[in-house]
Structures are given as C-alpha cells and as structure tokens.
Amino acid sequence: MKILVINCGSSSLKYQVLEMETETLLCKGFVERIGLDGSVLKHEKADMEPVVLQAPMNDHKEAIAHVMDAVVDPEHGVASSMKEIGAVGHRVVHAGEKYAWSVLLTDDVIHALEDCVSLAPLHNPPNLLGIAACRELMPTTPMVGVFDTAFHQSMPEEYYIYAIPYEYYTKYGVRRYGFHGTSHRYVSERAAAMLGKEIADTKVITCHLGNGASITAIDGGKVLDTSMGFTPLEGLVMGTRCGDIDPAIIDFISQKEDLTIREVNDILNKKSGVLGISGVSSDFRDIEAAAAKGNARAALALKVYANKVKFYIGGYMAELNGADAIVFTAGLGENGVLMRNMICKDLTNLGILLSPERNEIRGREAVLSADDSPVSILLIPTNEELMIAKDTYKIVSE
Ligand code: AMP
C-alpha cells in the first residue's frame, strides 16, 4: 500500500509518498508561499532530478491539488492514479489529553482537534486546513492523525503538573504536554533495535536538537519526562526560543521596555535562544563559524546551549535511575560534531564516554560512544514521516 504523508504549516506544506510493504520512500516534496505571491512546489522522485512548479496556490486546497498532480504525473509521479494511495497520514501538533495514540480522523476526532486550537494557535489551524483540504479532494481515502503530543501522554502526573494553582490545570488544561513526540518515539525504537534490546527493557534519553529542541526520558517505551511543556517554549535553549527562564523576567522586561506581555512572549519565541545570545544567527553553522573567528558572544551561545542539554541529561539520568543510551537526532544532533563533543565532555562519572573519533560522523546511524562507555551514545537520524506512514498503515490495515 502507498501512503501519502502530509505536514501542513501556515504557508507551507511538506509531503512524502511511501510504499509500506518495503517501507521505501517513493517521492517527497514541499510547497512554499501558500496564499502568497510566488507559490512554488518542489517535487523529488527517488533517483531523479527535483522538479519545480511555479503556480498560484491561494490556499491549502489548491496546494494539495498540485501535490496530487505531482504524485500521479506520468514522468515524475509514483502512482498511476490517486486510487493507489491507500491512506493519508497527517502530522498534527496538539491533541491535548484526548489522544495518546494515532487515530483515524473522523468528524468527532476533528472536533476534538479544533478544541485544541487554543493550546496550539499557530500549529493546529494549518494542520486542520490540510486535513479539510485532503478530505474534500480525496473523499473516499481514509485519513489518520499522528500527534506530536501523543507519545508524551504516558508521562505520570507528577511530571506534567506545574506548581501553580491546580485549578488552572482543571479549568484551562495548563500542564506540561511535550512536543516532537513522533521523533522521540522513532529514535527510541531505533535505539532499542541498535542495542539489540526490547524497547520494554530499555531506558533511553533522546535529544532532538533541531531548530526547536527537546529532550525526553523514556523508560520501557513510555515517556517519563520531557523538556517542552505547555508550549514548545519550555526546556532547552533553542535557535530563537529561550527555553527555561525565571518567569519573573517577563513582567520585568515588559515594564523596562514598555512592551505588552504578548510582545515579550514574541521576543522569547523569535528573538531569543542562541540568536538572542550571539546576535549572529539561529543557525549553528553560522554561530560555530563566528565563534571560530573569535566572536565571544557566539562562543558563549554555544556554551550556554551545551550546558542546558548537559543539565537535562544529568536530570534525566537521575529520574530514570540510569540509562542504556543517549540518542542525538535532528539537524544539530545529527550534524553537530562540535556540539556533541561539548555536551558529552566531562560526563564520564555518569558513565557517558564519547569517542572523539567515532563522533566525526554526520547524518547516519552510528554508535558514538567508546567501547568502555557504560552508556551508549547513538546518532540516529529522525524520520517522523516514516513513523506517520507506519501508524497510518497500521490503523487502516486493522
Ligand atoms: P532541523 O530543525 O532538524 O532541520 O535542524 C535545523 C538546525 O540544524 C539548523 O538551524 C542548524 O543549526 C543545525 N544544523 C544543520 N546542519 C548542521 C551542521 N552541519 N552543523 C551544525 N549544525 C547544523
């Protein structure tokens, strides 16, 4: 069966078609500038040069119609008709407390996801637009929702409750939810396979270090704790997000700079993190280059970032009472040789010993730890689309 995976943003969307019997990627692509001038679709079929289509795409429905055309194109397509697509898997960011697993997208489920819009006002609306467009264009094709929050629903209460008046949880759902769940689930399952262990007997700390970054403690395939919370702002230092800070800073800056709470919130999301510290960029390649040329604030940003990851690894080692493996994934986790070195430096007393030679690798599965390291350090490229396709395939095959 062929599965189409759709990941919709507000003005962009990414897609892939996978053949599930062999779990192979047939084609992938993305659309940018939906609803803006200069909409463009870039489509890539395995072993072929990418093709670029420029056409007006006023909304998500028009964009998905072009994706469907690309998928069935006689030259660059991977199916003779859309009837060959057995199901569509949709990435949805927030499913609140409602779903701890991927589900078939019925009217009831879609209403429940609409109820979560206030929890993820930037992410759920475009996700829902993509679902609505696909349902209109492919009315007989089953649709499955795969949620970033779902994997983290196994977190025990004592890990997700904030120490604020309890009624804010019961009245408004203010609690820790966690994000990047599909990525953490994928790499933790791969980690168990690489260690030759059952996931049920494996303790793993997964570091998803991309533009957004989060770290998760997973015990026996269930999340014990994760660094992102009510929103993806909590936890690690990120490209442009501050991560954990003293909440009193918000009122202080708002008064000093004469800004509204909403404006300060925007700064904490878009102008903070390593961009805020370095003043250079949110991209670690730029920051590393600046630090190498002697830019002190860029060097400081790298140190602050590494320290925060180290802090969480230490905390999660304590919460899990030891771990079998630390996993690095996502853009920086997969490619950041220097950053992995900085994070793993001086962790020997926790049984974490990086091999500097093995660490000189990017973008493919590898063991990075020394042979005598009690805790394995693994590099595992994430593959959220494969996970979405596998869940979708499983649900529609049941
Ligand atoms: P992602 O959100 O997973 O696509 O990750 C994007 C981030 O990964 C970028 O902002 C970069 O900071 C980081 N990254 C990608 N490639 C490299 C690299 N070769 N070295 C260091 N950082 C990288």
Side-chain angles (χ1 to χ4, degrees):
M1 183 191 290
K2 293 186 177 91
I3 301 280
L4 171 63
V5 175
I6 296 275
N7 180 355
C8 269
S10 55
S11 66
S12 66
L13 77 81
K14 289 191 270 187
Y15 65 91
Q16 287 193 359
V17 178
L18 295 100
E19 173 54 69
M20 295 318 292
E21 275 74 30
T22 51
E23 291 186 3
T24 39
L25 174 65
L26 301 178
C27 71
K28 64 177 179 178
F30 60 94
V31 183
E32 286 176 312
R33 301 187 61 82
I34 300 170
L36 303 166
D37 285 344
S39 309
V40 60
L41 180 150
K42 290 185 187 145
H43 175 87
E44 212 175 313
K45 181 178 171 179
D47 304 324
M48 274 183 93
E49 280 295 301
V51 284
V52 177
L53 169 86
Q54 270 167 324
M57 296 180 221
N58 293 310
D59 55 28
H60 287 74
K61 193 174 159 194
E62 287 182 22
I64 287 168
H66 283 291
V67 169
M68 291 165 67
D69 286 346
V71 167
V72 299
D73 184 88
E75 210 176 323
H76 304 284
V78 294
S80 55
S81 88
M82 284 306 285
K83 287 201 184 89
E84 280 182 36
I85 304 294
V88 183
H90 291 267
R91 182 205 177 196
V92 180
V93 167
H94 219 307
E97 291 187 320
K98 187 92 187 180
Y99 301 108
W101 189 246
S102 308
V103 289
L104 202 63
L105 288 167
T106 60
D107 288 343
D108 284 350
V109 174
I110 289 169
H111 289 142
L113 298 177
E114 284 164 356
D115 289 343
C116 294
V117 161
S118 68
L119 295 173
L122 298 179
H123 294 101
N124 271 31
N127 298 159
L128 286 161
L129 281 175
I131 293 168
C134 284
R135 285 180 112 201
E136 256 187 271
L137 294 164
M138 295 169 253
T140 55
T141 310
M143 308 273 153
V144 169
V146 181
F147 314 115
D148 274 27
T149 49
F151 185 47
H152 300 299
Q153 278 296 304
S154 57
M155 258 194 295
E157 207 178 10
E158 60 271 31
Y159 288 88
Y160 70 70
I161 287 293
Y162 286 114
I164 58 175
Y166 192 79
E167 61 263 30
Y168 296 150
Y169 167 55
T170 49
K171 271 163 59 180
Y172 310 121
V174 177
R175 52 157 282 180
R176 309 185 64 253
Y177 290 99
F179 300 89
H180 294 140
T182 312
S183 173
H184 289 292
R185 179 157 62 98
Y186 173 77
V187 297
S188 62
E189 288 179 7
R190 284 298 311 144
M194 283 173 78
L195 296 173
K197 293 178 69 137
E198 291 296 322
I199 186 82
D201 304 323
T202 311
K203 291 180 185 185
V204 48
I205 297 171
T206 50
C207 308
H208 178 110
L209 310 180
N211 230 332
S214 64
I215 175 164
T216 298
I218 302 161
D219 190 352
K222 291 196 169 136
V223 172
L224 183 72
D225 202 354
T226 190
S227 61
M228 283 180 167
F230 179 60
T231 73
L233 187 56
E234 188 181 342
L236 300 174
V237 174
M238 302 177 219
T240 63
R241 291 177 228 157
C242 60
D244 301 331
I245 59 166
D246 182 341
I249 291 170
I250 296 170
D251 180 52
F252 183 84
I253 296 294
S254 126
Q255 292 197 35
K256 290 281 180 199
E257 296 270 314
D258 194 22
L259 296 168
T260 63
I261 299 284
R262 202 166 270 195
E263 285 166 335
V264 178
N265 195 46
D266 211 46
I267 290 168
L268 298 180
N269 270 290
K270 295 182 187 156
K271 295 186 179 163
S272 301
V274 287
L275 169 68
I277 300 173
S278 70
V280 170
S281 168
S282 63
D283 192 307
F284 283 83
R285 287 162 287 200
D286 303 334
I287 299 170
E288 283 180 16
K293 283 191 196 142
N295 182 320
R297 271 173 53 191
L300 177 65
L302 295 176
K303 283 187 203 160
V304 174
Y305 186 95
N307 283 347
K308 200 68 181 182
V309 180
K310 196 187 274 270
F311 171 89
Y312 270 95
I313 289 175
Y316 288 172
M317 287 289 284
E319 287 182 359
L320 289 167
N321 193 14
D324 299 298
I326 312 280
V327 178
F328 286 103
T329 193
L332 178 65
E334 291 167 25
N335 298 292
V337 173
L338 173 73
M339 183 51 71
R340 291 194 303 251
N341 257 318
M342 290 175 74
I343 292 166
C344 295
K345 190 167 175 283
D346 299 332
L347 288 178
T348 45
N349 279 337
L350 291 184
I352 302 168
L353 283 82
L354 185 78
S355 156
E357 295 77 34
R358 289 182 184 165
N359 187 41
E360 291 287 334
I361 188 169
R362 292 185 165 89
R364 58 190 167 88
E365 283 189 1
V367 176
L368 307 179
S369 39
D371 287 336
D372 58 345
S373 179
V375 179
S376 299
I377 306 172
L378 306 175
L379 163 52
I380 304 180
T382 195
N383 195 341
E384 290 161 278
E385 291 80 10
L386 176 61
M387 210 73 209
I388 294 171
K390 280 171 82 166
D391 281 7
T392 303
Y393 183 53
K394 186 163 176 263
I395 286 170
V396 297
S397 306
E398 271 164 4

